[in-house]
Amino acid sequence: MNSSETLIQMIEYAKGNRRDINHLMKVYAYVRTIGICEGLTSQEQTVVELAAILHDIACPLCRQKYGSTKGEYQESEGAVLAAEFLKDTDWPKEITERVVYLVGHHHTLHDIDGIDYQILIEADYLVNADEAGYSEENIRNIMEHVFRTHTGKTLLQTVFGIK
């Protein structure tokens, strides 16, 4: 299995929910772009791309179970669902374990422990800020306190017109 096959599986998993599919595709595109521009290794790129594909795997369940896709719900339910999704694949264990960890932490903005985690946070924020119409003050605050990659900061400034 490769990243493209996994992407198709997640699109099928969304069962026609275009909002979820479009969100997934945008996060994936930002992750891929930031990762390549930041010079990730092949394994780091694979991990962060898989994490982007699976990061919101719990959203349908959370809507049904909690009536909400609140970050804490996504993280707790998502780690379990991502592990289940990846268990019978041929991805190496070190990759699947890291992907499950990232899915289970993709709304946690502290103790970011790796470039893959950093990039996933930045890509998801870029998309969420646009989709939810975050304020310029919120965007500036996150840019100053959370964003670390040169590419992520450049994208945030360019997309939202922030200097």
Side-chain angles (χ1 to χ4, degrees), residues 23-54:
H23 178 84
L24 157 66
M25 295 303 295
K26 289 185 275 185
V27 172
Y28 178 74
Y30 277 129
V31 155
R32 186 159 169 71
T33 301
I34 297 169
I36 290 169
C37 290
E38 293 295 316
L40 295 188
T41 67
S42 176
Q43 181 164 318
E44 289 169 332
Q45 189 71 32
T46 296
V47 166
V48 76
E49 286 184 20
L50 285 174
I53 292 167
L54 296 174

Side-chain angles (χ1 to χ4, degrees), residues 65-133:
K65 187 173 180 178
Y66 306 106
S68 169
T69 57
K70 196 172 174 182
E72 65 190 70
Y73 301 148
Q74 286 185 50
E75 288 182 342
S76 65
E77 301 288 353
V80 174
L81 291 172
E84 180 66 24
F85 184 92
L86 293 168
K87 78 175 185 176
D88 294 325
T89 65
D90 57 358
W91 293 107
K93 184 179 178 180
E94 66 271 9
I95 288 179
T96 61
E97 287 178 350
R98 184 64 177 171
V99 169
V100 168
Y101 174 82
L102 293 174
V103 170
H105 290 83
H106 78 278
H107 282 283
T108 302
L109 303 181
H110 56 81
D111 300 324
I112 295 172
D113 69 344
I115 188 68
D116 50 2
Y117 188 168
Q118 183 67 45
I119 290 171
L120 181 60
I121 291 289
E122 291 179 9
D124 197 32
Y125 181 85
L126 278 156
V127 176
N128 288 334
D130 180 50
E131 291 175 349

Side-chain angles (χ1 to χ4, degrees), residues 7-20:
L7 182 61
I8 296 300
Q9 284 185 319
M10 281 307 299
I11 290 170
E12 291 169 352
Y13 181 84
K15 295 180 179 159
N17 183 321
R18 289 189 303 273
R19 188 222 172 270
D20 284 356

